[in-house]
Amino acid sequence: MTFPQTRLRRLRKSGVLRDLVRETELSASDLVYPMFVEHGPDHRTPIASMPGIDRLSISNAVQEAGEAQALGINAVLLFGIPADKDEQGSGAWDDEGIVQLATRAIKEAYPEIAVICDLCLCEYTSHGHCGIVNSDGYVDNDATLELLARTATSQARAGADVIAPSDMMDGRIGVIRSELDREGFSDLALIAYSAKFASAFYGPFRDAAGSTPAFGDRRAYQMDPANAAEAVREALLDVEEGADVVMVKPALPYLDVIRRVKDATGVPVAAYNVSGEYAMIKAAAAAGYLDERTAVLEALTGIRRAGADIVISYHSKDVAKWLQ
Ligand code: PBG
């Protein structure tokens, strides 16, 4: 008498057969590598809470993009650290701003790799919020939209292949889409950070980008971690407004949301394995509590299995190396 369960066990004994029945693939071409770019000549500045990730000068960012491409990664995601910040975040839409300069340099050196520009004002505002702040201390949604659209067209002129608005203002996808179309960038794609949760896991990123809010928090415009149905509604709205890809962020605490958004929208879904998720594995591995490589591959495969077509991760280059 043979129990039916033993059949898969037989298949798993051999590597070839195991591959034959594997349901989920993780490959370098699914990955996006995020980079922090700052002004100044050839240098890199380590980020204490993200071992292995540095703030890069433009020349170093170009070099990293080339390495990513050689490893089979198709896209990088750029975050800018401006020289100066102000109330409105005007560095964001400066044609000579840090992201614009880096985008031009990367596209010139490596035209084949896709450059995705993160679009948000929080790295550029002196108060660290993602938009214009009213006298009541809250972000003015509608006034912010115009600045986001201005930033998008500036990034487009610099040569961005994709723009990824991460600000979470209502109606921004529609406004940005129509502004891009009006300016002649109707082929440029939008990845909407549709379900961006107000998360503790952004901590290391805010150290890296110097974008911790000077007062209050982002709970008025980022989502409540308790809400999944709302995430689905947000994603559907963004698709209606013109998003080509919708994103869920962070990834690991929200695998159910990734699945629901994927099933409900049917469009490509991106998941952002954020800075805190990266830091957690790096710290545990450094302490000898878990094996980095197996843990990372398991985590990223889980994100893919949940329904993510695209995985944005600071581990991307390591993963691409391990998969070679
Ligand atoms: C906001 C933005 C954030 C991240 C990317 N874009 C977070 C925030 O709300 O501060 C976080 C990414 C990460 O943690 O890796 N523009």
Side-chain angles (χ1 to χ4, degrees):
M1 169 74 193
T2 312
F3 297 107
Q5 301 92 294
T6 61
R7 294 192 186 134
L8 215 52
R9 188 189 314 154
R10 264 181 232 131
L11 288 164
R12 273 198 289 263
K13 266 192 210 156
S14 126
V16 181
L17 292 175
R18 188 170 49 225
D19 285 352
L20 211 53
V21 297
R22 177 168 295 141
E23 296 174 30
T24 308
E25 290 296 339
L26 176 68
S27 67
S29 60
D30 306 318
L31 303 174
V32 173
Y33 186 57
M35 298 197 288
F36 300 95
V37 198
E38 64 185 7
H39 291 284
D42 202 33
H43 72 283
R44 23 172 95 234
T45 316
I47 301 164
S49 50
M50 301 178 72
I53 301 294
D54 302 324
R55 286 154 66 147
L56 306 165
S57 67
I58 291 177
S59 56
N60 284 266
V62 169
Q63 185 195 332
E64 292 248 9
E67 287 167 16
Q69 176 174 287
L71 289 165
I73 294 169
N74 293 323
V76 292
L77 170 63
L78 298 186
F79 293 98
I81 297 139
D84 302 298
K85 306 190 184 216
D86 57 31
E87 284 279 306
Q88 296 212 316
S90 62
W93 60 86
D94 180 353
D95 279 345
E96 301 301 314
I98 184 68
V99 161
Q100 287 82 348
L101 293 174
T103 300
R104 272 188 229 124
I106 292 171
K107 290 306 290 185
E108 198 175 306
Y110 300 103
E112 297 296 310
I113 199 159
V115 171
I116 307 173
C117 291
D118 182 89
L119 169 51
C120 191
L121 301 181
C122 66
E123 298 110 81
Y124 303 88
T125 52
S126 43
H127 43 71
H129 279 286
C130 302
I132 295 183
V133 175
N134 277 335
S135 52
D136 62 3
Y138 286 100
V139 169
D140 186 329
N141 188 92
D142 297 4
T144 301
L145 293 180
E146 192 210 321
L147 304 182
L148 293 170
R150 212 188 285 182
T151 304
T153 52
S154 174
Q155 293 175 340
R157 277 193 298 275
D161 297 283
V162 181
I163 291 176
S166 68
D167 53 280
M168 289 298 278
M169 298 302 127
D170 288 333
R172 75 222 200 274
I173 297 298
V175 168
I176 292 167
R177 180 75 272 164
S178 56
E179 183 68 8
L180 287 171
D181 291 352
R182 220 166 48 86
E183 295 285 319
F185 298 108
S186 50
D187 279 346
L188 198 146
L190 290 179
I191 298 183
Y193 285 72
S194 301
K196 179 172 176 187
F197 291 90
S199 172
F201 291 96
Y202 306 147
F205 172 94
R206 291 179 187 175
D207 290 343
S211 62
T212 305
F215 51 85
D217 55 46
R218 300 205 216 284
R219 282 183 295 181
Y221 45 100
Q222 297 185 349
M223 289 186 44
D224 181 345
N227 292 7
E230 183 187 352
V232 171
R233 279 201 306 279
E234 289 275 5
L236 288 170
L237 262 175
D238 283 346
V239 171
E240 215 171 282
E241 289 180 31
D244 301 281
V245 177
V246 292
M247 197 195 298
V248 176
K249 169 183 173 189
L252 293 173
Y254 301 95
L255 295 176
D256 59 319
V257 178
I258 296 173
R259 168 52 56 198
R260 287 178 63 168
V261 165
K262 178 70 195 168
D263 289 345
T265 62
V267 303
V269 172
Y272 200 142
N273 177 229
V274 300
S275 58
E277 300 174 60
Y278 174 85
M280 228 171 13
I281 290 189
K282 289 301 255 191
Y289 296 162
L290 48 75
D291 179 66
E292 179 174 346
R293 177 178 166 150
T294 355
V296 169
L297 289 173
E298 179 179 338
L300 267 52
T301 300
I303 295 168
R304 290 268 298 134
R305 192 198 59 241
D309 302 278
I310 301 166
V311 181
I312 302 170
S313 177
Y314 303 96
H315 298 290
S316 290
K317 280 176 69 185
D318 289 334
V319 169
K321 273 178 217 153
W322 297 329
L323 294 175
Q324 272 184 342

